[in-house]
Amino acid sequence: MPRNFTTGEPNFAPTNMNDKSLLAIMEHKINDNWKFTGQAGYFNYTQVGMSMWPDAITGVDENIMQRRVYISEDYALAKTGQLFLNGQEKTGTVNHKILAGFDMSDKINYYDWTQSALLPDLDIYNPVYGTVTAANMPIFDRSVDIKVRGLQYKNAYNAFYVQDELGFLENQLRLTLAGRYTTLKTATVYSGEYKGSKFTPRIGLSYSINKNTSIYAMRDQSFNENYGTDWEGKTFNPLTGTNLELGFKKDWLNGKWNSVFALYQITNNNILTADLEHSTGAQQFSKQSGQQKVNGFEADIRGEIFKNLDLIINYAFTEAKITEDSDPLLIGAQVSGTSKHVQNAWLNYKIDNGALNGLGISLGYQYQVDRKPWFASNDETQLPDYFRMDGGLTYTKNNITFNLIVNNILNQYLYSGGYYTYNQTYYWQSEPGTNFRMSVGYKF
């Protein structure tokens, strides 16, 4: 369908979003070796509008969409904070770089999508708009505060983290030992409350071959909430993952160029899969029988081509496969929402003298190949390759910076999508054509 195709109506009120944030950082130098840092963030988001969804597709040519419009309202509040000490000490010939502190987050969301109304049908291939008049325009009841009528979701965690980087052989060889103890607290209207704690260790080893070249190896773990309940109403165990990484870093041309090359493997366990034994047509259940493995390679190169002209270029190869699933046909399939090849490049040029002093020009692109749609299914549809060119202008004068970013300069039709197995339909969501964002910053 054309990029400007819509199932909405021209007289619909827009959806308004208001996003406010406040960040604060405090640092205190205890002595020459130790420093205390406190960071806090406050985020407040509101959304008021409507959301369109198809109710059914009918007609001889499957061209008639029964449209339904839902209220779309959201209130989100997030508070985050970090308190930590970092410093260095020496025991004998061993250098210690130590980091220890607390990490906290408290998020609450209220959603309302419970009110809806049917609209006049729409011929998808020959749409006629203007059939929704004032008489049949949906009116939603917002008289009760969203925090009372909305569906509530809570997500909070607190964690203690400690790390010691031990330097041997005059810091040429470095061993990192770290651990994080995290307690998750979540609650939803569907799965109830959940609380879980886990210790996740981290170990790393790096060696400087010379002042410009080093190699490293690392192993760490992850721990995240797993929303929902099984057929018996029991909450799921958390998602856990193990990451193995091996890398090589090198500086070139007296530090004007630097590069990082890395190999990695990520194994994610407790992935939710379809519970085929207990699911029915009326109600679908999940169980924790899934595993995903991601093997990849990343290369990142950046440096100065000539004075004031810098280049950043990177490439990532990702082999993401489903290794365990309740549906045997999905084993070996590419993980949904991943791209096998991702390549980016970005050029920056800055003028530092003359009448145009302070002007910067940027140009870059994103390129993705072998894109798997969202929602894993037996359908082998791949999304087309993705190429987007962006650019920007920056101008700094005294303490003020003006920044203009232009996205999708070539006005490409870019979209993502997938296949819903449960109702055998495809969906897609297109990105905007050429668009821009202007921002102004002032440095005190």
Side-chain angles (χ1 to χ4, degrees), residues 412-432:
Q412 296 288 305
Y413 189 148
L414 304 171
Y415 69 92
S416 58
Y419 180 72
Y420 281 116
T421 305
Y422 77 95
N423 64 359
Q424 299 180 332
T425 59
Y426 289 91
Y427 79 95
W428 90 99
Q429 185 173 28
S430 61
E431 295 185 13

Side-chain angles (χ1 to χ4, degrees), residues 69-120:
V69 63
Y70 290 80
I71 187 174
S72 179
E73 194 160 344
D74 180 14
Y75 172 77
L77 184 66
K79 303 172 186 177
T80 62
Q82 294 175 334
L83 302 171
F84 58 90
L85 282 168
N86 65 292
Q88 53 187 6
E89 295 291 344
K90 191 168 185 176
T91 56
T93 60
V94 180
N95 296 309
H96 298 268
K97 291 184 178 179
I98 300 170
L99 170 67
F102 292 95
D103 183 14
M104 300 158 284
S105 175
D106 188 4
K107 302 175 183 177
I108 187 168
N109 289 67
Y110 297 90
Y111 300 101
D112 186 5
W113 58 75
T114 58
Q115 303 177 54
S116 67
L118 277 172
L119 298 178

Side-chain angles (χ1 to χ4, degrees), residues 188-199:
T188 74
V189 293
Y190 300 109
S191 58
E193 295 185 357
Y194 170 81
K195 181 179 179 180
S197 300
K198 187 176 177 62
F199 175 76

